[in-house]
Amino acid sequence: MINIPGTRPPSNPASLQQLIQTLLLLTIVALGTTAAHADSDVELSGTADGSGSVEVILDGVNILVTTTAGDTPDILASSLASAINGDPTLQGLGTTATAIGNQVTSNGVFSDGWSTDAGVRLSLAPGRVLASQKISDTSGSFTGILNNRDLFGASVASLGYLDGDGVPDLVAGTPQDDDGGSGSDRGALWVLFLDTDGTVKTHQKISDTKGGFTGTLANNDNLGASVTSPGDLDGDDVPDLVAGASLDDDGGTASDRGALWVLFLNASGTVKTHQKISDTTGGFTGTLDDADYFGSSVTSPGDLDGDDVPDMVVGAPADDDGGSDRGALWVMVLNADGTVKAHQKISDTTG
């Protein structure tokens, strides 16, 4: 392992990627440069011969090397690839590097779009578990109360830095939680504020009776069947949540058509306000049928229509387009208030 005085990789890296990029920065410094910053774009001033500057860009799989004077970029790229391939720690993680300084197209642009004449392409090892921490009814410093059949962890998502402490936080779904009635399976969400070791610093439950949530849940709605954080929908600098209630009955009696709940959060993890999206509310004009289970899965693809509001993709796994229970996806273009501006169904027969 390259040893640079006063510089070391993190003692508890959050991910394999973080460890690799840290070691790569150390490797770059070892080439003879004198300044480094923990950004994805790293400008290093002072080449080995002291006659220019080097710009290094890390994008996770590639390193771009340019220089204004002194060593040529292809020489630096070759030296960097050799240093990476000779580092035992990186090799132990299965990381290899290939210099691509001479592989340019006729117009002088790399096939990956770099307009330069030197670089290193990395082959990162498949994800490996560097450490683990279980969070349960008896482990991980979690002090919330779980009951039999709650199904804590049926869904999980990252909330980003909800409380602003620089440690990513989590939300976990418990779709068979019984808040609001014994044996009700109305469902719930647990917002988990984490410490750097993955244990729970504090928590906030969101359910039919807790967390500032004033929406109406019925028995067997299964809030928390799915969950994601699209980011900050309402522009208050606090990440928000979208959770599925896949057995919601809007549109029929015991219909299980399903629903989504858009939850605008406070930094404490409580609900500031909410918007339901279902067969009958939230501006959604698509057609849901009984037992579609809309909301069984949900994710955010980002901002699809360029209005600076994240959008959603929602699964309805028992949709019958083309045949029984073939399933469907609903692409939901959202307004900032969580209502649906437009939608597109993707199924066996449409989209």
Side-chain angles (χ1 to χ4, degrees):
M1 178 175 175
I2 296 170
N3 183 17
I4 308 298
T7 312
R8 61 183 178 86
S11 57
N12 292 301
S15 66
L16 175 63
Q17 181 89 350
Q18 178 183 343
L19 177 59
I20 290 172
Q21 292 199 345
T22 300
L23 289 171
L24 290 179
L25 288 175
L26 297 182
T27 304
I28 293 164
V29 173
L31 291 179
T33 57
T34 58
H37 306 283
D39 302 319
S40 58
D41 292 354
V42 183
E43 292 187 3
L44 305 169
S45 61
T47 58
D49 61 7
S51 60
S53 64
V54 179
E55 182 181 12
V56 179
I57 298 175
L58 302 177
D59 68 3
V61 295
N62 297 306
I63 303 177
L64 166 65
V65 181
T66 64
T67 182
T68 59
D71 295 325
T72 59
D74 58 327
I75 292 175
L76 285 175
S78 178
S79 298
L80 178 55
S82 296
I84 293 169
N85 289 329
D87 183 274
T89 301
L90 285 173
Q91 292 310 294
L93 294 171
T95 300
T96 58
T98 304
I100 51 176
N102 295 321
Q103 299 180 22
V104 294
T105 62
S106 59
N107 63 357
V109 178
F110 278 143
S111 59
D112 56 16
W114 287 344
S115 181
T116 186
D117 62 352
V120 174
R121 174 157 291 121
L122 301 178
S123 174
L124 301 183
R128 301 187 184 186
V129 177
L130 300 179
S132 65
Q133 174 60 59
K134 186 177 184 179
I135 299 173
S136 71
D137 193 50
T138 61
S139 185
S141 301
F142 177 55
T143 59
I145 297 174
L146 298 177
N147 296 308
N148 293 348
R149 297 183 61 255
D150 272 0
L151 301 186
F152 175 76
S155 60
V156 65
S158 173
L159 270 174
Y161 308 118
L162 183 58
D163 59 356
D165 66 352
V167 179
D169 302 311
L170 294 178
V171 58
T174 54
Q176 292 186 183
D177 185 279
D178 293 331
D179 279 6
S182 177
S184 65
D185 292 349
R186 296 187 183 186
L189 302 167
W190 289 92
V191 177
L192 306 177
F193 298 94
L194 299 185
D195 284 317
T196 55
D197 61 359
T199 57
V200 179
K201 180 173 59 176
T202 186
H203 64 264
Q204 174 61 59
K205 189 177 185 181
I206 299 171
S207 72
D208 194 51
T209 62
K210 292 181 176 65
F213 178 57
T214 58
T216 300
L217 295 178
N219 291 350
N220 302 309
D221 271 1
N222 279 197
L223 175 72
S226 63
V227 66
T228 192
S229 175
D232 178 17
L233 283 169
D234 58 354
D236 65 352
D237 295 326
V238 177
D240 300 310
L241 280 181
V242 178
S246 58
L247 302 185
D248 186 278
D249 294 329
D250 278 8
T253 301
S255 65
D256 295 344
R257 296 188 182 187
L260 281 184
W261 289 93
V262 180
L263 306 179
F264 299 94
L265 297 185
N266 298 305
S268 63
T270 57
V271 178
K272 181 172 60 174
T273 186
H274 66 265
Q275 174 62 56
K276 188 178 185 181
I277 299 172
S278 72
D279 193 52
T280 62
T281 191
F284 178 52
T285 58
T287 300
L288 297 178
D289 296 319
D290 288 356
D292 270 0
Y293 306 140
F294 173 79
S296 292
S297 59
V298 62
T299 190
S300 175
D303 177 17
L304 288 172
D305 61 346
D307 65 352
D308 294 327
V309 178
D311 302 308
M312 306 304 304
V313 180
V314 188
D319 185 278
D320 294 328
D321 280 6
S324 179
D325 295 346
R326 296 194 179 185
L329 296 174
W330 290 92
V331 179
M332 321 284 280
V333 181
L334 298 185
N335 296 306
D337 63 0
T339 57
V340 178
K341 180 166 59 173
H343 69 264
Q344 174 63 54
K345 188 178 186 181
I346 301 173
S347 72
D348 192 51
T349 61
T350 189

